[in-house]
Amino acid sequence: MANKFVFCFIILIVLFNCKENSKPIHTDSNSLISTKSKLDPKQFEKNIDGKKTKLFYLKNKNGLEATITNFGLRIVSLHVPDSNGNFKDIVLGFSSINDYLKPQAKYFGSIIGRYGNRIAKGSVLINQEEFRLTTNSGEHHLHGGHKGFNNVIWNVGKVSSNDIEFYRTSKDLEEGYPGNLKVSVNFKLTDNNELTVNYFATTDKTTIINLTHHPFFNLSGEGNTSINKHLLMINADYYTPINKSSIPTGEIAKVKETPFNFVSLKPIGKDINTKNQQLLYGKGYDHNFVLNDKSKDKYGINLVAKVVEPNSGRVMEVYTNEPGIQFYTGNFLNGETIGKSGKPYVSRSAFCLETQHFPDSPNHPNFPSTLLEPGETYKSTCIYKFKVEKN
């Protein structure tokens, strides 16, 4: 009888340890020693609107590591190797929740919703009814409004060492959008060195939705030199020109023989200072590209962009099922914002590649629809895949 008791006790200890080890490290002070980020998890614990923020760690068997906070689902750090196996953090970010609460940090590494990018004059027509959205960029609506998805605390669902799910309900007329929108977002760091982001949503009223994510990347390392020498390919023969307010004109224009031609790898900075009206409007690249879809797999996923940093050999590929991607070259970074490594974030020290539907789609019938009906499920995928190329 005593032996049976001892056996059962040992089994319980083993099961308890297995359960604990399945969780990402976000409360254990020893995580400062065992992780690459060296971030202090306690600096990411804060009560906001009655909910607690935390920092979560994802790791894969190859040593890649991502840290994510449930405040706006921000990717705080992302460590990937170079061609010599040296790891560096390649996303811009900050060392505490308090830093992310500052106005200049509001979109760094965050989810964007309900609608990524701009909607002209904050006006949308749905089933012949006009809805007025919050205007937070002059007279226009940007990135979901004053309290978009980047500015709220998300609930935490299932977690494991390389996988985490977040969810929330955006209530009817939040920031002006119709419908109670139930959203879940899953982050997974696979052993194929992919950081996958999967979005799901349902609604009880016809609404619009366009979710994306806003990491600022520098493949030579966060806070390092200009990204102008990074090589970029965007799988797009067309882009959507903008007006002086960064609102699409409705035109779908060819990239051929323009500075927007990235159909094969070229340095980001090669044409960025060309005297071109579109580049003047954006103060650099800040435009949506219309993605080619001939190479989609059976799941609708397509290779849409590739970035190579020649010195380190780091390579990032972007895959998605979305029809567009916003390419932004950190034009408004001005050196006044200091990042987690103590370095200033200067102009063009980072780039963004945001998979998305087109900006202002509800006001352009020739753009792909962003309507979501009751009974439908919105599904969107973005994959950042990391490789190395020998110098």
Side-chain angles (χ1 to χ4, degrees):
M1 186 72 179
N3 288 337
K4 288 183 177 179
F5 176 81
V6 171
F7 178 77
C8 290
F9 182 73
I10 291 172
I11 292 296
L12 286 171
I13 291 175
V14 170
L15 290 173
F16 177 81
N17 286 334
C18 288
K19 182 178 180 182
E20 288 302 300
N21 289 335
S22 71
K23 296 180 180 180
I25 306 167
H26 58 272
T27 56
D28 184 359
S29 60
N30 290 330
S31 64
L32 290 174
I33 298 171
S34 61
T35 67
K36 293 181 172 67
S37 73
K38 308 304 179 186
L39 295 166
D40 183 353
K42 293 181 180 179
Q43 295 299 313
F44 288 84
E45 295 178 1
K46 189 179 182 72
N47 286 308
I48 301 175
D49 296 334
K51 293 185 176 182
K52 190 173 183 179
T53 64
K54 289 185 178 180
L55 187 67
F56 299 86
Y57 293 77
L58 302 180
K59 298 180 180 181
N60 74 0
K61 70 177 183 180
N62 304 314
L64 276 71
E65 178 189 285
T67 62
I68 300 168
T69 173
N70 59 330
F71 176 55
L73 305 192
R74 286 168 167 80
I75 299 174
V76 178
S77 67
L78 178 58
H79 283 78
V80 302
D82 65 10
S83 58
N84 295 315
N86 299 315
F87 283 80
K88 274 192 177 180
D89 185 2
I90 62 163
V91 297
L92 278 60
F94 304 95
S95 299
S96 73
I97 285 295
N98 288 334
D99 289 329
Y100 281 105
L101 291 171
K102 297 175 182 178
Q104 64 267 30
K106 60 185 174 182
Y107 298 127
F108 274 79
S110 69
I111 187 174
I112 302 295
R114 290 189 190 189
Y115 199 99
N117 223 303
R118 291 168 174 81
I119 294 179
K121 298 183 179 179
S123 175
V124 293
L125 197 64
I126 300 176
N127 294 338
Q128 305 306 311
E129 181 180 357
E130 183 184 25
F131 289 87
R132 302 293 301 182
L133 309 180
T134 302
T135 51
N136 60 325
S137 180
E139 62 179 347
H140 307 299
H141 179 83
L142 174 66
H143 288 341
H146 290 302
K147 199 163 187 178
F149 286 6
N150 63 297
N151 239 353
V152 296
I153 315 305
W154 289 67
N155 302 306
V156 182
K158 66 176 183 177
V159 293
S160 74
S161 61
N162 73 328
D163 193 2
I164 187 164
E165 182 181 49
F166 301 93
Y167 64 95
R168 74 178 297 260
T169 297
S170 175
K171 294 184 178 180
D172 185 32
L173 297 182
E174 181 178 85
E175 298 297 308
Y177 292 93
N180 292 295
L181 188 77
K182 294 183 177 180
V183 186
S184 65
V185 184
N186 174 266
F187 293 85
K188 187 172 185 177
L189 190 56
T190 75
D191 289 336
N192 290 323
N193 293 347
E194 299 168 333
L195 180 62
T196 67
V197 189
N198 286 302
Y199 309 86
F200 305 91
T202 58
T203 182
D204 60 2
K205 293 181 182 177
T206 303
T207 192
I208 57 170
I209 184 171
N210 183 26
L211 302 183
T212 189
H213 215 265
H214 210 307
F216 285 70
F217 292 104
N218 185 322
L219 298 188
S220 68
E222 168 265 340
N224 281 357
T225 56
S226 165
I227 45 85
N228 281 345
K229 293 183 180 179
H230 284 48
L231 307 178
L232 172 66
M233 181 279 293
I234 300 178
N235 185 12
D237 294 327
Y238 297 87
Y239 78 107
T240 52
I242 56 175
N243 63 24
K244 63 181 180 180
S245 297
S246 294
I247 300 295
T249 63
E251 180 188 4
I252 295 178
K254 290 183 178 180
V255 301
K256 189 176 181 180
E257 298 179 351
T258 78
F260 295 85
N261 188 351
F262 286 94
V263 294
S264 58
L265 286 171
K266 77 172 183 182
I268 287 174
K270 181 179 179 181
D271 300 318
I272 202 167
N273 294 316
T274 302
K275 291 184 178 179
N276 174 280
Q277 187 60 63
Q278 286 297 305
L279 291 175
L280 291 173
Y281 282 153
K283 301 186 186 304
Y285 295 104
D286 192 5
H287 294 75
N288 171 68
F289 286 73
V290 179
L291 296 171
N292 301 327
D293 62 2
K294 293 179 182 177
S295 59
K296 282 186 176 180
D297 66 13
K298 63 180 180 180
Y299 303 106
I301 303 297
N302 194 23
L303 171 64
V304 297
K306 179 179 180 180
V307 188
V308 179
E309 203 289 297
N311 291 328
S312 67
R314 291 188 182 93
V315 178
M316 184 178 80
E317 295 176 342
V318 185
Y319 297 80
T320 190
N321 60 344
E322 290 288 335
I325 192 167
Q326 185 82 6
F327 174 45
Y328 172 60
T329 45
N331 312 314
F332 293 96
L333 300 176
N334 59 13
E336 295 180 2
T337 300
I338 307 300
K340 54 187 177 248
S341 62
K343 299 175 183 178
Y345 291 157
V346 299
S347 178
R348 297 175 186 165
S349 61
F351 66 90
C352 301
L353 288 167
E354 305 156 61
T355 59
Q356 61 177 15
H357 268 59
F358 302 174
D360 201 31
S361 285
N363 295 312
H364 298 281
N366 59 320
F367 287 2
S369 174
T370 55
L371 284 177
L372 180 66
E373 302 282 357
E376 296 178 343
T377 299
Y378 169 90
K379 297 178 183 178
S380 180
T381 295
C382 178
I383 302 171
Y384 301 108
K385 184 170 185 175
F386 299 97
K387 300 179 177 180
V388 292
E389 292 181 356
K390 296 294 183 180
N391 296 329

